[in-house]
Amino acid sequence: MCGRYASTRSPQDLTQLFQVTDWRPEEALAPSWNVAPTDEVYAVLERADRESGEGVARQLRTLRWGLVPSWAKDVKIGARMINARVETVHEKPAFRSAFARRRCLLPADGFYEWDPVEDKASGKVHKKPYFIHPTDGQVMALAGLYEYWRDPDIADEDDPDAWRTTCTIITTEATDAAGRVHPRMPLALTPDHYDTWLDPAHQDTDDLRALLTQPAEGRLQTRAVTTAVNNVRNNGPHLLDEAT
């Protein structure tokens, strides 16, 4: 799974890296070394221009992590839908519509996973955190989906608070260094697949699934970090320091 990651690049950097043409400075987020479910996160997506409703623009948006299906009765369901398995994402009721029409990329510096370790003296098991990131230091473009949810408690549908846009991260079987820590990992796309993945007019699920392949070995590095990352209230670059 992917339950925590780091995202510290500035929106100015992200707009260049992902060739974004539509971004609003008022939506800027602070850098985070401890992105957690239900947080607001950056997402790159393509949709009609927000002002005119015409054309398709590549946008940098802020979405809530934890997908809430359009048919959900309560927004709280999103906390249980932070990940979508690549093996079934195209057929699960919560994800299949978004998979066909509402795909995004979630920029990340790397992600965290926890490895159960037994204390030989006490016999107790504790989880040791690791930070897993690209060896070249480049941004990871995590494959994601997004969805719109209408809050039934707000009568006026033109009220901005009446709608929530949420997202999920697609996961796959872990390979490379990540596989030594946890059996699942977030699925990152390569730049040559960005255009097809983001294109809302591309709705051939077989073609789209073909983009979601496991990464080649040797791309990722893993290092043990301190348990400070376990607390979602902790944040800052010190979370990436190697555990001693």
Side-chain angles (χ1 to χ4, degrees), residues 15 17 44 49 57 62 82 85 90 95 122 130 133 144 151 153 157 172 175 180 186 190-191 203 214 228:
T15 54
L17 285 168
V44 178
D49 180 83
T62 55
I82 63 171
R85 295 175 65 92
H90 62 294
F95 304 125
S122 65
Y130 289 83
H133 61 97
D151 189 340
D153 294 331
E157 67 175 17
T172 186
T175 61
R180 295 192 288 272
T190 54
Q203 299 181 14
Q214 291 179 321

Side-chain angles (χ1 to χ4, degrees), residues 76-171:
K76 293 179 181 178
I77 193 175
R80 304 197 304 272
M81 295 193 177
I82 63 171
N83 293 158
R85 295 175 65 92
V86 68
E87 296 88 350
T88 57
V89 65
H90 62 294
E91 57 190 14
K92 289 288 186 181
F95 304 125
R96 62 190 178 198
S97 178
F99 183 73
R101 301 178 179 86
R102 289 175 291 280
R103 299 174 299 275
C104 61
L105 297 171
L106 303 172
D109 304 331
F111 59 97
Y112 299 95
E113 290 295 357
W114 283 258
D115 184 27
V117 177
E118 183 178 350
D119 186 298
K120 293 182 179 179
S122 65
K124 293 183 179 180
V125 175
H126 67 278
K127 290 187 176 182
K128 186 175 183 178
Y130 289 83
F131 183 63
I132 302 167
H133 61 97
T135 56
D136 59 8
Q138 296 299 307
V139 171
M140 299 182 76
L142 307 184
L145 310 175
Y146 69 97
E147 189 57 271
Y148 299 104
W149 182 74
R150 171 74 167 87
D151 189 340
D153 294 331
I154 300 177
D156 183 4
E157 67 175 17
D158 292 327
D159 185 334
D161 292 333
W163 294 90
R164 299 202 186 186
T165 313
T166 60
C167 62
T168 190
I169 294 173
I170 297 176
T171 65

